[in-house]
Amino acid sequence: MLTLQQIIKEADVRVPNPFDAAQKISWLNEINVEFFEIVRIPKVFRFMVNGGTDTYALPASIRSHAVESVRNQAVMYESIQYEKVQPGRNYWNLDDDTHQLTLFPRPTINAEAIINYRKKTESIYLTTDLSAKPDAPAEFHYAYILGLCERIAKAMNDVTLANNYANDYRGQLSVAQERYKNRSDVTGGGVSG
């Protein structure tokens, strides 16, 4: 696992530059968000529903836009927020402010419910903690070096070097995307498109 300091140090060796740590941390924050926008890392949350109850508290890490499916035993629920739900169909709504999930119609029996969602990052890196590690899996921390090199080269107007690092960075993101796409297919948490 690489720390932010190690990523910055490696990028500085590859692309000597005049930029300070604050600028590089800003770029690493962009890279971290971009990683999770492109790479859909599947997560599963299981909880018990109670017959007659329609509202459930969820962890703050589950955001409505990241939810790919909600099911209760064999009953699938559609997102009323992001899909056009036909009359008579089951739907769910997740309030991101209160973290309350509402299921309609309400479950009639006690059973396990499963939410498949994509991992999102909410980390904000600071120059005061360069020992922090990226939120991405350790096997993809190298992509952060490439992404940082790309941004440094762009800021220095070295188009050729920026393009080379951009290609390598995008290649790493594609590998990660493909790895988790396959894993998502196995867990049933993927969405085509």
Side-chain angles (χ1 to χ4, degrees):
M1 291 184 93
L2 296 174
T3 65
L4 300 180
Q5 180 65 52
Q6 291 169 316
I7 291 168
I8 291 170
K9 184 177 178 182
E10 180 63 26
D12 286 343
V13 168
R14 291 168 176 255
V15 187
N17 64 84
F19 303 107
D20 63 9
Q23 179 59 63
K24 292 170 190 162
I25 290 297
S26 175
W27 285 326
L28 285 169
N29 279 314
E30 291 172 8
I31 292 164
N32 196 47
V33 169
E34 183 175 54
F35 183 91
F36 287 97
E37 286 176 353
I38 294 171
V39 181
R40 301 167 76 113
I41 299 177
K43 302 288 281 180
V44 175
F45 179 73
R46 297 172 186 273
F47 64 104
M48 293 302 295
V49 293
N50 302 312
T53 303
D54 63 354
T55 304
Y56 301 89
L58 297 183
S61 61
I62 301 176
R63 310 295 289 178
S64 63
H65 63 276
V67 173
E68 295 187 345
S69 69
V70 176
R71 69 179 183 265
N72 167 16
Q73 292 189 321
V75 177
M76 292 295 296
Y77 291 85
E78 298 176 31
S79 168
I80 195 148
Q81 292 164 282
Y82 302 106
E83 300 174 54
K84 186 174 182 176
V85 179
Q86 298 297 320
R89 302 291 303 246
N90 302 331
Y91 68 83
W92 62 267
N93 179 61
L94 177 56
D95 184 324
D96 286 330
D97 294 328
T98 64
H99 312 295
Q100 295 292 309
L101 172 74
T102 303
L103 301 175
F104 182 84
R106 69 185 64 186
T108 57
I109 60 170
N110 296 350
E112 181 182 59
I114 299 173
I115 297 175
N116 293 81
Y117 66 103
R118 296 180 317 277
K119 180 179 178 179
K120 291 293 193 178
T121 183
E122 297 196 14
S123 295
I124 297 175
Y125 304 131
L126 305 171
T127 55
T128 56
D129 186 12
L130 296 178
S131 64
K133 295 173 177 63
D135 292 336
E139 63 191 305
F140 297 111
H141 286 184
Y142 180 70
Y144 285 62
I145 295 171
L146 298 173
L148 184 56
C149 287
E150 174 195 1
R151 283 163 170 80
I152 291 169
K154 274 185 185 175
M156 294 175 58
N157 294 318
D158 189 332
V159 175
T160 302
L161 189 59
N163 287 339
N164 288 338
Y165 278 113
N167 289 336
D168 292 345
Y169 174 57
R170 301 284 179 251
Q172 286 287 307
L173 292 177
S174 292
V175 167
Q177 190 177 34
E178 191 63 28
R179 171 126 351 119
Y180 286 103
K181 176 182 170 225
N182 292 339
R183 195 170 293 170
S184 179
D185 291 344
V186 170
T187 63
V191 171
S192 59

